Amino acid sequence: MKINIAIDGPSAAGKSSISDMLAESLGYTHLDTGAMYRAVALSALRNGIAYDDEEKIVAMIEAMKLEMLPDGRVILEGEDVSEKIRTDEISMGASDVSKLQGCREALVRMQQHICKDGGYILDGRDIGTVVLKDAPVKIYMVASPEARAQRRLLQNQSQGLLADYEQILEDIKKRDYQDMHREHSPLTKAEDAIEIDTSDMTKEEVRDAVLAIVKEKTGD
Ligand code: DC
């Protein structure tokens, strides 16, 4: 039987790439919930809506056409925005809109609907605590801010984006603080989540550690 798997943790802890690898190994689909908050931020920016204008953002989400394709592409109003949502400006914007309770409620509903039949790996900040409270496998992935900044630096360099280590480190710490201290569903480890520190692990080691946990819980 296909279950749903919850993966939470701060930015650049490796959640997304590990979720892709797990999806491949298990024949599951990866849903990157952070990309949904990013799409909301991009749409707000394009529509001239302030990131803290809850009423307008909620109305915008209700009218918005957002498709999360199983291959990871993000389609907003028919346009592939998968790369446009990865800028540093949108990263901070996503963290800003994610503070709004109305925005969270709308996106959580969409996420729960997408994975209702099982077979999904959801990565985000509130998956184990809110979206999939009953998920049989919950992982809380962490890594030191320095290890995460180093990874983001390499990622950015390969994509021609911001490549200033100190700036990236500062942005990571700022976003961590904001994500962990917001009023609604702050980033926190679910009581029944298993913590994995990926700082000194290869992606393959992390994948295998999670696969072992899945096997233990499900027998698969
Ligand atoms: O995972 P990410 O860095 O792409 O997420 C972007 C922002 O969206 C992050 O700073 C916090 C927010 N987010 C959230 O509040 N809840 C989620 N489930 C996923 C992301």
Side-chain angles (χ1 to χ4, degrees):
M1 196 198 69
K2 290 191 170 182
I3 57 164
N4 284 320
I5 299 173
I7 302 198
D8 289 299
S11 61
K15 302 185 301 293
S16 208
S17 46
I18 300 299
S19 298
D20 279 338
M21 292 166 82
L22 289 169
E24 166 121 26
S25 301
L26 294 165
Y28 279 25
T29 305
H30 170 206
L31 177 65
D32 174 356
T33 64
M36 298 171 78
Y37 289 90
R38 288 170 181 272
V40 169
L42 179 65
S43 185
L45 188 69
R46 287 180 168 179
N47 287 293
I49 300 172
Y51 292 142
D52 61 355
D53 190 336
E54 181 155 14
E55 205 175 311
K56 283 198 182 147
I57 295 229
V58 170
M60 183 197 80
I61 295 173
E62 274 162 18
M64 185 172 90
K65 193 157 180 284
L66 176 65
E67 293 161 88
M68 303 299 294
L69 301 188
D71 65 7
R73 277 180 298 151
V74 180
I75 312 293
L76 177 63
E77 312 298 345
E79 177 192 346
D80 185 344
V81 295
S82 313
E83 283 177 19
K84 294 194 180 92
I85 57 170
R86 297 289 156 198
T87 65
D88 293 296
E89 184 187 8
I90 295 297
S91 298
M92 211 54 222
S95 182
D96 286 342
V97 297
S98 75
K99 288 190 217 164
L100 309 173
Q101 176 72 343
C103 169
R104 303 203 66 81
E105 280 171 6
L107 294 191
V108 167
R109 266 199 305 276
M110 282 185 211
Q111 292 154 12
Q112 289 172 333
H113 180 74
I114 291 172
C115 68
K116 64 183 183 337
D117 296 326
Y120 275 82
I121 298 158
L122 269 67
D123 86 287
R125 305 291 189 288
D126 62 341
I127 309 303
T129 51
V130 178
V131 183
L132 297 175
K133 269 200 193 120
D134 299 329
V137 175
K138 295 182 184 178
I139 308 293
Y140 193 72
M141 220 174 259
V142 296
S144 69
E146 290 73 19
R148 291 187 281 134
Q150 188 57 38
R151 285 179 196 160
R152 190 45 52 89
L153 178 73
L154 293 175
Q155 211 177 15
N156 282 8
Q157 280 170 339
S158 71
Q159 294 170 358
L161 295 170
L162 175 75
D164 174 344
Y165 175 81
E166 292 303 328
Q167 181 66 48
I168 293 173
L169 183 60
E170 195 183 308
D171 285 354
I172 280 183
K173 288 183 177 167
K174 187 172 167 206
R175 205 140 68 88
D176 279 358
Y177 185 86
Q178 188 159 300
D179 293 344
M180 290 173 179
H181 292 85
R182 66 179 178 223
E183 186 186 351
H184 306 293
S185 319
L187 169 63
T188 171
K189 178 175 169 291
E191 264 176 33
D192 50 350
I194 296 172
E195 183 166 318
I196 300 180
D197 186 334
T198 68
S199 304
D200 300 314
M201 292 171 84
T202 64
K203 286 179 183 175
E204 288 71 23
E205 285 170 341
V206 181
R207 176 200 58 199
D208 292 346
V210 180
L211 285 176
I213 295 165
V214 174
K215 193 168 177 145
E216 192 189 307
K217 299 266 180 183
T218 66
D220 286 342

Coordinates of all heavy atoms in Angstrom, one line a residue, residues 4 16 22 32 35 55-56 68 70 73 82 97 118 122 132 135 160 167 170 180 186-187 194 214 219:
N4 N 1.7 8.2 2.5 CA 2.3 9.5 2.3 C 3.5 9.7 3.2 O 3.4 9.2 4.4 CB 1.3 10.6 2.5 CG 0.3 10.7 1.3 OD1 0.6 10.5 0.1 ND2 -1.0 10.9 1.6
S16 N 14.3 18.9 -0.8 CA 13.8 18.7 -2.2 C 14.5 17.7 -3.0 O 13.9 16.8 -3.6 CB 13.8 20.1 -2.9 OG 12.8 20.2 -3.8
L22 N 13.8 9.9 -3.4 CA 12.9 8.9 -2.7 C 11.8 8.6 -3.6 O 11.4 7.4 -3.8 CB 12.4 9.5 -1.4 CG 13.3 9.7 -0.3 CD1 12.7 10.5 0.8 CD2 13.7 8.3 0.3
D32 N 6.4 19.5 -3.9 CA 7.2 20.5 -3.3 C 6.3 21.6 -2.8 O 5.9 22.5 -3.6 CB 8.2 21.0 -4.3 CG 9.1 22.2 -3.8 OD1 8.8 22.7 -2.7 OD2 10.0 22.6 -4.6
A35 N 7.2 25.3 -3.2 CA 7.0 25.9 -4.6 C 5.6 26.5 -4.7 O 5.4 27.5 -5.5 CB 7.2 24.8 -5.6
E55 N -6.2 39.8 2.7 CA -7.5 39.7 2.0 C -7.3 39.6 0.5 O -7.9 38.7 -0.1 CB -8.3 41.0 2.3 CG -9.8 40.8 2.2 CD -10.5 42.1 2.6 OE1 -10.2 42.6 3.7 OE2 -11.3 42.6 1.9
K56 N -6.4 40.4 0.0 CA -6.2 40.4 -1.5 C -5.5 39.1 -1.9 O -5.7 38.6 -2.9 CB -5.4 41.6 -1.9 CG -6.2 42.9 -2.0 CD -5.6 43.9 -2.8 CE -6.4 45.2 -2.9 NZ -5.7 46.4 -2.9
M68 N 0.5 21.8 -10.1 CA 1.7 21.2 -9.7 C 1.9 19.9 -10.4 O 1.2 18.9 -10.1 CB 1.7 21.0 -8.2 CG 1.4 22.2 -7.3 SD 2.6 23.5 -7.5 CE 4.1 22.7 -6.7
P70 N 3.3 16.3 -11.8 CA 4.0 15.2 -11.1 C 5.5 15.3 -11.4 O 6.3 14.8 -10.6 CB 3.4 14.0 -11.7 CG 2.1 14.4 -12.3 CD 2.2 15.8 -12.6
R73 N 7.2 20.4 -12.4 CA 7.1 21.7 -13.0 C 5.9 22.4 -12.3 O 4.9 21.8 -11.9 CB 6.8 21.6 -14.5 CG 8.2 21.4 -15.2 CD 7.9 21.3 -16.7 NE 7.1 20.1 -17.0 CZ 6.3 20.0 -18.1 NH1 6.2 21.0 -18.9 NH2 5.7 18.9 -18.3
S82 N 8.6 27.4 -13.2 CA 9.5 26.6 -12.3 C 10.8 27.3 -12.0 O 11.3 27.2 -10.9 CB 9.8 25.3 -13.0 OG 8.6 24.7 -13.5
V97 N 4.6 35.6 2.5 CA 3.1 35.2 2.3 C 2.8 34.0 3.2 O 1.6 33.9 3.6 CB 2.8 35.0 0.8 CG1 2.9 36.2 0.0 CG2 3.5 33.8 0.2
G118 N -2.6 8.7 -1.4 CA -1.4 8.2 -1.0 C -0.4 8.1 -2.2 O -0.7 8.5 -3.3
L122 N 5.7 14.7 0.5 CA 5.5 16.2 0.6 C 6.6 16.7 1.4 O 7.0 16.2 2.5 CB 4.2 16.5 1.3 CG 2.9 16.6 0.5 CD1 2.6 15.3 -0.1 CD2 1.8 17.2 1.3
L132 N -0.1 16.6 7.0 CA -0.3 15.2 7.1 C 0.0 14.7 8.5 O 1.0 14.0 8.8 CB 0.8 14.5 6.1 CG 0.6 14.7 4.6 CD1 1.7 14.1 3.9 CD2 -0.7 14.2 4.1
A135 N 0.7 11.0 8.9 CA 1.6 10.3 8.0 C 2.4 9.3 8.9 O 2.9 9.6 9.9 CB 2.5 11.3 7.4
G160 N 23.7 30.4 -12.3 CA 24.0 31.8 -12.6 C 23.3 32.8 -11.7 O 23.1 34.0 -12.1
Q167 N 26.3 36.6 2.0 CA 24.9 37.1 1.8 C 23.9 35.9 1.9 O 22.8 36.0 2.5 CB 24.8 37.8 0.4 CG 23.4 38.3 0.0 CD 23.0 39.5 0.9 OE1 23.8 40.4 1.2 NE2 21.8 39.4 1.5
E170 N 23.4 34.9 5.4 CA 22.6 35.8 6.1 C 21.1 35.6 5.8 O 20.2 35.6 6.7 CB 23.0 37.3 5.8 CG 22.5 38.3 6.7 CD 22.9 39.7 6.2 OE1 24.1 39.9 6.0 OE2 22.0 40.5 6.1
M180 N 10.5 30.1 11.7 CA 10.4 29.4 13.0 C 9.6 30.2 14.0 O 9.2 29.7 15.1 CB 11.8 29.1 13.6 CG 12.4 27.9 12.8 SD 14.1 27.7 13.4 CE 14.7 26.4 12.4
P186 N 4.4 27.6 12.7 CA 5.8 27.8 12.5 C 6.5 26.5 12.3 O 6.0 25.4 12.7 CB 6.2 28.4 13.9 CG 5.2 28.0 14.9 CD 3.9 27.8 14.1
L187 N 7.7 26.6 11.7 CA 8.5 25.4 11.4 C 8.9 24.8 12.8 O 9.6 25.4 13.6 CB 9.8 25.8 10.6 CG 10.8 24.7 10.5 CD1 10.3 23.4 9.8 CD2 12.1 25.2 9.8
I194 N 11.3 11.8 12.8 CA 12.6 11.3 13.1 C 13.6 12.4 12.5 O 13.5 12.7 11.3 CB 12.9 9.9 12.4 CG1 11.9 8.9 13.1 CG2 14.3 9.5 12.5 CD1 11.9 7.6 12.4
V214 N 11.3 3.9 6.0 CA 10.0 3.6 5.3 C 9.8 2.1 5.4 O 8.7 1.6 5.7 CB 10.1 4.1 3.8 CG1 8.8 3.5 3.1 CG2 10.1 5.6 3.8
G219 N 7.1 -2.1 5.8 CA 7.5 -3.4 5.3 C 7.9 -3.4 3.8 O 8.3 -4.4 3.2

